[in-house]
Amino acid sequence: MSALSKKWLRLATQNPALAWNKARTTFRNRIGARWDYSFRNGQAKPPATICIKLTNACNLRCQMCGQPRENACPGEAKYAPPEFFRHSVSLEQYQRLIDEVKFFRPNIYLWGGEPFLYPHLIELIARIHRAGLTSQINTNGMLLEKHARELVEAGLDDLIVSIDGPAEVHDAVRGREGVFARLQRGIAAVTEAKRELGSRTPVLRVRGTICPENFNQITDLPRIAHEFGADSLNFNWTWFTTAAAGAAHQKLMRQLFDIEASSWIPFLSESVLDRKTRASFAALPKQLQILKKQSVDLPISLSPHIRPDQVEAYFTDIQQTFGCRDCYSVYVKSYILPNGDVTPCPDYPDYIVGSIVQSPFLQIWNGDRYRKWRQELKKHRLFPICTRCCDLYLSSVQFI
């Protein structure tokens, strides 16, 4: 058995239910979704994962994040009206959703904004757990210490925390001093609560975004993740788009769906590799080679899996998709927004297919609007904005 297989076997034994769900999701994405894509005319089997964006509000201002933020002014790319950050679905409505979908046992992924700003988060996790479903949460960790024990008691399966590098790098990217130390205390509190309660969950996963601010520091993350007691480490590449791609996308969305698709604008970056970032970027391909030789005892993955010689193309040629020419995510996952709207696309939610406040989820999942989105996406293979979206590369996650 390889060293990587042993690492994953150890991780799977910590939470067999989550490991099974991960295996099922991988199968759906790589095989089942392709069957739906090819033969079912826009219909899909029930999703393996339902992603609930609990709130648009956030307590940090991360440099690489394209989401609207509360301190932006009208006219700025990341501006949204104040009510946008107050959208909230009731706990009772989420309970109805859980009751509806529990028979096909989807994984429930909770995110934001910052999900800990949703006032009923802990009770929601407990209800997901009582329904026999697995739950994940993706957090910046600012409120983790406060809720550590009740998080473990509620039965969370998977805790995903974002770390960008050593303390000074992480704090700079996150826009506030002391964030790294606060996250460290939060993780320690969760670890202590697990010990006191005799719980093996939640599994702790560290996620790092490769961006200009940490080009020189990504090889520090395995050590940091190990010191934090993480069970795995995943690297994402920063998402961005160009004005040409955005304009083409808007034009096509008007033609196909009669919508004004402008959510790409906060992700605009004509040149990630400008004069300022080129110097630090030069070290990045070598950093990836070093990652493959690291000796830290935990699984490390890249999403998408890009070779060192492809890194520059990722940042300079937005048409490159590194072999991922079709999106299968819309057959595997669905996204629910903080006001209850359902959308096929997490980062560019311009097209709404229904609302869980008004209709049962499964009625929406294979409803006319969802089917039309899948059909048009298949017809065009990808929309212009799709080439730097995390969901496009779901089948390209590989371990190093």
Side-chain angles (χ1 to χ4, degrees):
M1 183 181 291
S2 69
L4 180 59
S5 298
K6 290 179 181 177
K7 293 174 186 177
W8 269 105
L9 181 60
R10 185 176 67 245
L11 181 59
T13 57
Q14 287 184 250
N15 191 331
L18 183 64
W20 167 249
N21 211 303
K22 288 287 186 182
R24 188 171 66 123
T25 301
T26 300
F27 176 84
R28 278 289 308 280
N29 187 63
R30 297 189 177 182
I31 298 176
R34 296 172 193 236
W35 175 271
D36 290 347
Y37 177 90
S38 299
F39 301 112
R40 300 198 68 202
N41 194 30
Q43 289 190 324
K45 295 177 182 177
T49 299
I50 296 176
C51 306
I52 301 176
K53 188 177 186 184
L54 293 172
T55 178
N56 291 313
C58 191
N59 46 15
L60 292 180
R61 302 293 179 264
C62 305
Q63 292 191 32
M64 71 292 194
C65 180
Q67 292 193 40
R69 49 191 55 181
E70 291 153 287
N71 61 345
C73 298
E76 294 180 352
K78 296 183 182 182
Y79 172 77
E83 57 268 23
F84 176 79
F85 303 99
R86 294 194 291 267
H87 288 166
S88 182
V89 172
S90 70
L91 183 61
E92 289 69 30
Q93 182 63 61
Y94 284 138
Q95 180 66 63
R96 287 192 286 272
L97 173 70
I98 293 166
D99 290 340
E100 179 191 359
V101 304
K102 64 183 180 183
F103 78 93
F104 64 86
R105 302 181 67 80
N107 177 59
I108 307 297
Y109 177 85
L110 306 172
W111 66 304
E114 171 46 49
F116 275 95
L117 296 179
Y118 178 70
H120 310 296
L121 173 64
I122 301 300
E123 177 59 22
L124 176 58
I125 293 170
R127 293 190 182 193
I128 293 169
H129 181 72
R130 289 197 295 269
L133 306 182
T134 54
S135 61
Q136 299 173 283
I137 188 167
N138 192 338
T139 175
N140 61 36
M142 290 288 287
L143 298 172
L144 201 52
E145 184 177 14
K146 177 181 178 181
H147 298 285
R149 187 178 181 88
E150 55 187 355
L151 198 64
V152 178
E153 291 175 330
L156 180 69
D157 291 281
D158 192 11
L159 174 62
I160 305 168
V161 296
S162 300
I163 303 178
D164 303 301
E168 65 278 7
V169 173
H170 184 79
D171 288 0
V173 172
R174 300 283 152 173
R176 185 188 295 185
E177 291 185 6
V179 174
F180 185 90
R182 195 164 173 176
L183 173 59
Q184 193 171 28
R185 293 195 301 271
I187 292 173
V190 171
T191 301
E192 178 61 17
K194 287 168 62 176
R195 186 192 65 78
E196 291 179 355
L197 295 168
S199 176
R200 304 176 76 176
T201 58
V203 170
L204 174 62
R205 293 197 291 141
V206 168
R207 179 170 291 169
T209 298
I210 300 175
C211 57
E213 291 76 20
N214 68 1
F215 279 162
N216 278 325
Q217 282 86 22
I218 65 168
T219 51
D220 290 323
L221 273 172
R223 172 187 56 79
I224 294 169
H226 181 70
E227 290 174 354
F228 277 29
D231 299 295
S232 69
L233 170 62
N234 169 251
F235 285 99
N236 283 339
W237 299 85
T238 189
W239 312 120
F240 66 97
T241 192
T242 64
H249 184 72
Q250 280 187 282
K251 180 179 179 181
L252 186 60
M253 293 299 101
R254 293 189 198 105
Q255 294 172 352
L256 297 180
F257 305 110
D258 193 27
I259 60 172
E260 193 58 44
S262 58
S263 60
W264 62 273
I265 294 174
F267 292 87
L268 176 64
S269 180
E270 287 299 323
S271 179
V272 175
L273 299 183
D274 56 20
R275 183 178 299 176
K276 181 180 177 181
T277 59
R278 273 282 175 183
S280 59
F281 168 76
L284 184 56
K286 183 64 178 295
Q287 293 254 312
L288 290 178
Q289 293 173 347
I290 294 172
L291 273 182
K292 292 187 176 183
K293 300 176 182 178
Q294 59 79 38
S295 59
V296 173
D297 188 25
L298 77 167
I300 300 177
S301 61
L302 284 171
S303 175
H305 191 271
I306 295 176
R307 300 191 312 266
D309 63 308
Q310 296 175 315
V311 172
E312 184 162 0
Y314 179 87
F315 289 114
T316 58
D317 183 1
I318 200 168
Q319 301 305 316
Q320 281 268 15
T321 59
F322 310 98
C324 297
R325 286 292 295 120
D326 301 284
C327 178
Y328 302 109
S329 174
V330 292
Y331 298 86
V332 179
K333 301 168 70 176
S334 189
Y335 289 86
I336 299 173
L337 301 178
N339 63 353
D341 285 349
V342 181
T343 180
C345 191
D347 289 325
Y348 311 115
D350 301 291
Y351 184 75
I352 303 302
V353 293
S355 169
I356 63 167
V357 177
Q358 300 173 358
S359 306
F361 173 80
L362 287 177
Q363 181 178 315
I364 298 169
W365 175 247
N366 276 320
D368 291 342
R369 287 183 64 80
Y370 228 134
R371 290 183 62 197
K372 181 175 175 60
W373 180 268
R374 295 186 187 111
Q375 289 166 344
E376 293 294 348
L377 185 57
K378 178 182 177 181
K379 187 184 302 181
H380 292 81
R381 300 206 69 173
L382 293 175
F383 296 140
I385 210 70
C386 294
T387 60
R388 291 298 175 269
C389 170
C390 55
D391 278 2
L392 172 63
Y393 298 103
L394 281 177
S395 58
S396 184
V397 179
Q398 294 185 31
F399 296 91
I400 59 176

